[in-house]
Amino acid sequence: MLGDITLGQFYPTNSIIHKLDPRVKIMIALLIIVGLFVADSFYAYLLCTLFIAIAVFLSKVPVGFIFKGLKPLLFIMVFTAVINVFLTDGRTLFKVWFLRATYEGVIIAFVMVLRLFLLVTATTLLTLTTSPIMLTDGIERLLKPFNAIKVPSHEIAMMMTIALRFIPTLLEETDKIIKAQSARGADFTTGSILKRAKAMIPILIPLFISSFKRADELATAMECRCYKGGDGRTKLKVLKCEKRDYIALFSIVILLILIIFLNIFAG
Amino acid sequence: MSIEVKNLTHIYGKNGPYEKVAVDNVSCTFEDGEFIGMIGHTGSGKSTLVQHLNGILKPTEGTVIYNGIDIFDKNTDLRKIRQEVGMVFQYPESQLFEETVYKDIAFGLNNYGIKGDEADIKIHNAAKMVDLDYDLLQKSPFELSGGQKRRVALAGVIAMEPKVLILDEPAAGLDPAGRISVLESIKNLHLTRGITVILVSHSMEDMAKYASKLVVMNKGKLELTGSPKEVFKNQKQLFEMGLDVPNMCKVLAKVRALGFDVPESVFDVEETAQVLCEILRREKC
């Protein structure tokens, strides 16, 4: 029943983008978001689009797969576009009833939709090409400087890893409990909202109990293996930047400089 | 009156990267009042197959006919079928949720609108059937031991008085005493109420002891069906499927290999003893 849900959308292809250091990929994703918000001219957007298009091409992830991830955002995109087209002041393009579309509105709408589209594509590409484990590894390393102001970087990463690890387990468990309760005649699909909410109780309580039990067991198992937090802990796979990582970082820096340059001189 | 499985196929994650054929074109009939044992290696599709019998899973192809009703027909009320075909899942204690044991057993009954005195009688009957002390009824199910929880979950299904009872490894993870107690309750239920029982299990000894008919699954297909005597004759085939035969079958096979004349259809401890005594007596003469 719930087995069809795909979570953690990692798409393995062993491309150069996949091999990039996760820290570098997270940094690039963050910087491109900054770049997209800073960009203010046609050429700047063109450059961003080109940059992301090249990354998608290099990742060898089917384009259709990426668009599938964009589907849930379609509504927001259309909504933003419509609002902008009709509610921007400027020269009239056409009129529908009392709504007035403007030239300026169309341009702003296009830019907004393009910005949203690129934002989501860039971040989707990050999760498509980086396994959850690598991702948390990268986040842990990137958060390390903040240890100085008492941010528990290792603990945050460990919590994320564990949460990700248990999503499929919990889905399986939920599926099983739903089956067991419906075998006892439970009905989740008919009745008023209140009645349906009440019907969730026989699923949620066993699920909570088993989660607590699991957490407790996991904590014991970790303690048995002498886990004591991040202090003095070494990594099996130490993240190491290679030539390709420096090239990637260099290219994003160039892109940002170009965007700022274009803003000043073309804007 | 029977359950008829017709050309049933179930594919998990169809057309996806992890497509798996769990049940592959299986047809069989379970007659009323039978005690059916379903055996198979882990992942042979037996759990998937039994979950179709009350419509918990929908087949990819094929169907199940219960007493002449196609249960996957659009007009069939699956809840009604589920009242008559009860199902106890693997580790059923994970479904308990109510404040008291009593209320948890009542959950199924309440879902079908059975309340008050009628429900009260059925709850007490079910508790008695699974050997549950009445004073446990007012306790929280989470205070009980593993074996007791299992019996509460079992009682929750039995209280609904199903005509067919499907049990998926009801004795898994229990100690020997708990194991015998649970299986004996099921046997008593079968004898006193005459209900059809479909028991999924790994234990050949249990199967030899309780089942009147065996169904052997392998890689999603139905390999063997028949009485235990007929099925256990195919020792070699069972071994190849990664399954076992009752210990007595192995003992007698060794005796047979020594050149003695031993009937093939014996697997009971007492019967085996008789056969061996007879051989010894003959040898002395």
Side-chain angles (χ1 to χ4, degrees):
Chain A
M1 278 181 221
L2 293 169
D4 299 332
I5 299 172
T6 43
L7 269 157
Q9 34 177 356
F10 182 53
Y11 190 98
T13 64
N14 206 22
S15 73
I16 186 155
I17 303 280
H18 284 74
K19 282 186 208 146
L20 278 180
D21 190 304
R23 288 173 294 175
V24 172
K25 272 189 278 189
I26 295 167
M27 288 293 286
I28 290 178
L30 286 175
L31 288 175
I32 198 122
I33 290 169
V34 172
L36 277 168
F37 278 106
V38 172
D40 201 20
S41 68
F42 171 73
Y43 290 106
Y45 276 108
L46 191 70
L47 275 175
C48 288
T49 314
L50 214 64
F51 186 85
I52 291 171
I54 291 170
V56 168
F57 173 75
L58 285 176
S59 73
K60 292 181 192 160
V61 175
V63 179
F65 212 82
I66 292 170
F67 284 137
K68 224 168 74 186
L70 290 173
K71 243 188 209 160
L73 281 148
L74 203 67
F75 172 75
I76 295 176
M77 287 187 190
V78 172
F79 187 73
T80 335
V82 170
I83 290 278
N84 275 300
V85 165
F86 289 108
L87 295 180
T88 315
D89 268 337
R91 287 166 295 157
T92 311
L93 188 66
F94 60 88
K95 266 187 169 176
V96 187
W97 197 21
F98 65 92
L99 294 166
R100 193 164 63 95
T102 59
Y103 285 104
E104 284 76 5
V106 171
I107 291 169
I108 293 181
F110 178 73
V111 169
M112 289 300 248
V113 170
L114 182 68
R115 188 185 274 171
L116 267 177
F117 173 76
L118 290 177
L119 274 179
V120 179
T121 312
T123 43
T124 308
L125 195 64
L126 174 69
T127 50
L128 279 173
T129 59
T130 321
S131 70
I133 300 283
M134 290 297 264
L135 209 58
T136 45
D137 234 17
I139 290 170
E140 176 178 359
R141 190 64 197 78
L142 285 173
L143 284 177
K144 214 159 200 180
F146 297 104
N147 276 357
I149 53 165
K150 303 225 161 131
V151 175
S153 65
H154 170 79
E155 281 71 16
I156 291 174
M158 183 57 89
M159 281 194 286
M160 283 172 64
T161 314
I162 291 172
L164 286 169
R165 154 69 184 79
F166 277 99
I167 288 170
T169 313
L170 281 181
L171 274 179
E172 220 169 83
E173 186 92 29
T174 316
D175 194 39
K176 201 192 132 185
I177 294 169
I178 290 178
K179 279 180 183 171
Q181 304 300 25
S182 45
R184 289 206 280 169
D187 185 5
F188 310 112
T189 47
T190 56
S192 64
I193 291 182
L194 194 73
K195 208 179 152 204
R196 264 188 270 179
K198 258 187 163 171
M200 297 303 285
I201 295 174
I203 298 172
L204 291 178
I205 292 180
L207 201 58
F208 266 107
I209 289 168
S210 76
S211 306
F212 283 127
K213 223 188 249 163
R214 246 182 246 285
D216 194 39
E217 277 165 15
L218 182 69
T220 313
M222 282 167 84
E223 234 156 49
C224 286
R225 290 194 271 169
C226 302
Y227 178 78
K228 55 176 174 54
D231 297 333
R233 195 173 162 80
T234 53
K235 292 249 171 227
L236 177 62
K237 280 184 188 162
V238 181
L239 295 176
K240 221 175 107 197
C241 278
E242 284 177 44
K243 206 167 133 197
R244 53 170 177 258
D245 298 309
Y246 292 115
I247 293 173
L249 271 180
F250 185 67
S251 60
I252 186 78
V253 170
I254 295 282
L255 180 76
L256 278 182
I257 292 172
L258 277 175
I259 289 170
I260 293 167
F261 186 78
L262 281 167
N263 271 358
I264 296 169
F265 292 98
Chain B
M1 300 291 258
S2 63
I3 298 182
E4 207 182 333
V5 179
K6 270 191 174 168
N7 301 92
L8 194 98
T9 298
H10 190 95
I11 304 173
Y12 284 113
K14 201 177 182 208
N15 298 329
Y18 305 108
E19 182 178 302
K20 191 178 180 302
V21 182
V23 176
D24 190 0
N25 197 10
V26 167
S27 299
C28 55
T29 308
F30 304 121
E31 295 294 342
D32 252 17
E34 279 182 322
F35 196 123
I36 294 140
M38 193 173 283
I39 17 180
H41 201 249
T42 313
S44 60
K46 50 194 189 325
S47 291
T48 309
L49 177 63
V50 294
Q51 282 177 36
H52 284 88
L53 301 182
N54 65 349
I56 292 281
L57 285 178
K58 302 243 174 323
T60 313
E61 266 168 60
T63 191
V64 176
I65 313 279
Y66 174 69
N67 291 343
I69 307 163
D70 182 346
I71 71 169
F72 295 109
D73 189 81
K74 268 187 209 145
N75 302 318
T76 308
D77 184 5
L78 268 178
R79 289 189 67 224
K80 236 182 202 152
I81 302 278
R82 285 178 192 157
Q83 192 177 8
E84 293 192 10
V85 184
M87 168 119 197
V88 180
F89 284 84
Q90 268 174 48
Y91 299 102
E93 53 273 25
S94 65
Q95 72 184 29
L96 304 177
F97 71 98
E98 276 287 10
E99 296 154 56
T100 64
V101 170
Y102 183 90
K103 280 188 186 171
D104 209 286
I105 299 176
F107 177 68
L109 292 169
N110 294 343
N111 280 332
Y112 289 103
I114 301 164
K115 292 196 172 103
D117 289 345
E118 196 190 351
D120 194 66
I121 294 168
K122 289 187 177 181
I123 290 163
H124 281 92
N125 277 345
K128 200 172 165 193
M129 214 73 209
V130 297
D131 231 349
L132 211 61
D133 282 339
Y134 285 163
D135 44 318
L136 289 180
L137 288 177
Q138 293 312 323
K139 276 196 170 180
S140 159
F142 304 109
E143 291 171 28
L144 307 183
S145 74
Q148 285 169 329
K149 277 188 199 167
R150 180 77 53 96
R151 272 177 270 166
V152 172
L154 208 61
V157 176
I158 290 172
M160 289 157 66
E161 296 180 351
K163 296 194 176 115
V164 179
L165 186 61
I166 305 164
L167 304 118
D168 197 346
E169 305 252 8
L174 293 183
D175 57 36
R179 192 181 180 83
I180 291 168
S181 144
V182 163
L183 290 172
E184 285 295 326
S185 318
I186 296 163
K187 187 185 160 196
N188 282 336
L189 204 64
H190 172 72
L191 291 176
T192 54
R193 291 198 194 154
I195 62 171
T196 314
V197 175
I198 300 175
L199 180 73
V200 177
S201 174
H202 276 123
S203 165
M204 294 298 152
E205 310 291 333
D206 291 347
M207 287 304 182
K209 199 166 164 194
Y210 296 107
S212 63
K213 182 184 169 186
L214 287 183
V215 174
V216 183
M217 297 272 296
N218 188 35
K219 291 179 184 158
K221 284 196 161 50
L222 210 67
E223 290 283 331
L224 295 165
T225 43
S227 68
K229 288 186 186 196
E230 286 161 357
V231 169
F232 288 137
K233 266 188 219 165
N234 307 293
Q235 247 190 64
K236 216 177 138 205
Q237 203 181 342
L238 286 168
F239 280 136
E240 274 165 14
M241 285 186 251
L243 293 171
D244 210 351
V245 292
N247 285 331
M248 292 310 125
C249 285
K250 289 187 217 163
V251 170
L252 291 178
K254 285 209 168 137
V255 176
R256 199 174 300 128
L258 291 171
F260 293 104
D261 180 32
V262 181
E264 287 211 10
S265 56
V266 177
F267 50 80
D268 195 68
V269 177
E270 253 120 70
E271 274 184 80
T272 311
Q274 273 179 15
V275 169
L276 291 179
C277 284
E278 205 142 299
I279 290 171
L280 286 174
R281 218 173 291 138
R282 254 184 283 153
E283 280 300 292
K284 271 186 190 162
C285 298

